[in-house]
Amino acid sequence: MWKSLIWFYSHRYFTRVWVIQEISANKERLVHCGRETIEWERIDLVAGYIIMEPAFSKGFGFTNTYCWWVTTMTELTRNPKCWLSKLYLASTYSCLDARDVIYGLRGLMEVSNGGKLLSPDYSKSALAVYRDVVEAAILDFQNTDVFAYTTGGSIPSWIPQWNQPMLFRNPFRFGKALPWKPAGTTTPVWNVDKDSYIISLTGFLVDSIKFFDSYSESFFSNAMIQSEEGRRTLKQAWRRILKIVEESQSQVEIHATSLTAVATSFSSGLDEQSGPADERY
């Protein structure tokens, strides 16, 4: 049975962007495989149980299957206003045309301002489409959160590569608004030169960045680190993080609420119900 499930969930069909639209377009969804027919809900349910416990998934050989892709399709059909999160999750799916990672999901996105920028137009290049996503996000959300999805290595650096996997790149992708906002109640003042692909932003200096490091899931997950070197690296990283938090506080000691907010916002386990400043999480 396990071999059959591994074979079934290893089909690349589950990784295609257009399948997300096919699944969301109908309430009664049947999947045909050979001579067999099964409801999509059962496929989704089994995949969810398989990835629920990482040790089980790894022990029975499901590590390289596409169970995560199956369960994420349901998530992608929810919260149409949170369309940046949709693009973030969908970045792990594939399509032949790089523009379809945006256009293939357009029907699942509710964009109040700037929606016309995301209307399918195949006369545009993929880079132009991705640039328009940035502009639409600034218009719709009135903030610059879209830049949290950039890799830093692309050209131009301010345009996220939506067809490149982003999983765990942005730990702030879920949850309610964080309990701090350096820009206060101000909104972005910006301009995009569409010919030269240059964006201009007007702002003010808050502080200088004293430390940065690549994001490592192992620093914030609940997995056990077996190696001594891994534990040592983790200890050093958290010493640096907490030292910076301490230096940024006006008070001498760090209060539980501040530390909880920082630790929770770093966590990759936030969901749409989480409140980063709530100690229960």
Side-chain angles (χ1 to χ4, degrees), residues 130-173:
Y130 294 174
R131 175 203 62 204
D132 289 347
V133 171
V134 174
E135 191 170 354
I138 297 176
L139 283 169
D140 195 27
F141 299 111
Q142 287 297 297
N143 58 43
T144 56
D145 288 357
V146 64
F147 297 123
Y149 299 89
T150 58
T151 62
S154 56
I155 299 176
S157 61
W158 58 275
I159 300 179
Q161 298 299 299
W162 300 107
N163 63 334
Q164 299 297 319
M166 297 183 180
L167 211 58
F168 300 120
R169 184 187 304 163
N170 173 22
F172 301 98
R173 65 194 183 278

Side-chain angles (χ1 to χ4, degrees), residues 222-237:
N222 57 4
M224 294 294 292
I225 298 178
Q226 302 296 334
S227 69
E228 196 62 41
E229 182 181 355
R231 294 193 190 97
R232 187 163 51 250
T233 301
L234 178 64
K235 189 175 182 179
Q236 292 172 349

Side-chain angles (χ1 to χ4, degrees), residues 3-134:
K3 288 184 178 180
S4 297
L5 286 173
I6 291 171
W7 172 84
F8 179 74
Y9 285 111
S10 294
H11 277 279
R12 293 192 63 82
Y13 168 82
F14 298 119
T15 69
R16 306 296 295 174
V17 167
W18 288 106
V19 176
I20 301 171
Q21 191 178 80
E22 292 171 5
I23 294 301
S24 65
N26 301 284
K27 291 184 178 180
E28 297 182 5
R29 300 158 293 185
L30 297 176
V31 176
H32 301 276
C33 184
R35 298 179 180 180
E36 302 297 326
T37 301
I38 188 172
E39 295 88 351
W40 172 260
E41 287 73 15
R42 294 190 179 186
I43 294 174
D44 185 14
L45 181 64
V46 172
Y49 277 120
I50 289 173
I51 65 173
M52 186 180 296
E53 178 51 58
F56 169 85
S57 180
K58 183 178 181 180
F60 282 83
F62 287 94
T63 302
N64 295 321
T65 61
Y66 300 117
C67 292
W68 181 89
W69 282 256
V70 173
T71 58
T72 302
M73 286 187 195
T74 301
E75 181 66 28
L76 286 165
T77 63
R78 300 170 181 162
N79 301 323
K81 291 184 178 180
C82 300
W83 54 272
L84 272 182
S85 293
K86 291 183 186 293
L87 297 184
Y88 165 81
L89 291 172
S91 66
T92 57
Y93 292 79
S94 57
C95 51
L96 294 177
D97 192 319
R99 294 166 291 191
D100 285 337
V101 75
I102 307 300
Y103 294 156
L105 299 174
R106 183 62 184 90
L108 302 176
M109 298 155 57
E110 185 177 326
V111 187
S112 301
N113 298 301
K116 290 184 178 180
L117 289 164
L118 304 181
S119 298
D121 182 355
Y122 286 94
S123 66
K124 296 179 181 178
S125 65
L127 183 60
V129 173
Y130 294 174
R131 175 203 62 204
D132 289 347
V133 171
V134 174

